[in-house]
Amino acid sequence: MDMMSGEADPSEIVAAERSSAANPATGRVTFNRFELNRILNLYGRMVADGEWRDYAIDFLKDRAVFSVFRRASEVPIYRIEKDPRLARKQGAYSVISASGHILRRGHELDRVLLAIDRKLAVV
């Protein structure tokens, strides 16, 4: 089988399709439906308790950030971040306080959110 000079190697085409499927056209990190549902459930409970009032979601090139505010005019009191570059090392998820301290980092979102989820607090 000879190839025409203008055609690409089929293995190169398959590799290009795989890389474009792995990285969306926008090239941004996002939360999937399960992650966003879990975060918004926690957010809804905290709003009902009167502790949180506003949020912001940022989809950046290297990470996705869900910021929680007590008031819209303040700095976020918590940031829930997803950084896929750290997925194999420390875990992709982290909860960061307003002062910049990492409260918890891990591979599972539910376990990381326990740092700010007060429903399991012993009374």
Side-chain angles (χ1 to χ4, degrees), residues 2-97:
D2 63 328
M3 297 183 61
M4 293 186 205
S5 60
E7 290 185 31
D9 184 22
S11 62
E12 293 175 356
I13 294 171
V14 170
E17 289 174 358
R18 283 186 188 152
S19 66
S20 67
N23 297 329
T26 59
R28 296 183 180 173
V29 177
T30 60
F31 292 110
N32 64 31
R33 183 179 295 250
F34 169 76
E35 296 163 340
L36 207 52
N37 187 29
R38 176 66 180 96
I39 293 169
L40 288 173
N41 281 340
L42 171 62
Y43 175 78
R45 275 190 279 118
M46 298 303 261
V47 167
D49 290 343
E51 295 188 34
W52 296 351
R53 294 194 184 259
D54 201 7
Y55 72 92
I57 302 176
D58 297 312
F59 298 124
L60 306 173
K61 196 171 213 172
D62 59 340
R63 65 190 165 178
V65 182
F66 187 94
S67 303
V68 177
F69 298 88
R70 185 161 293 148
R71 290 181 195 85
S73 62
E74 293 182 351
V75 297
I77 54 175
Y78 296 111
R79 291 188 331 251
I80 302 164
E81 294 190 1
K82 176 184 178 181
D83 191 347
R85 295 175 299 165
L86 300 174
R88 290 182 165 230
K89 297 178 183 177
Q90 302 162 341
Y93 305 104
S94 59
V95 174
I96 303 170
S97 69

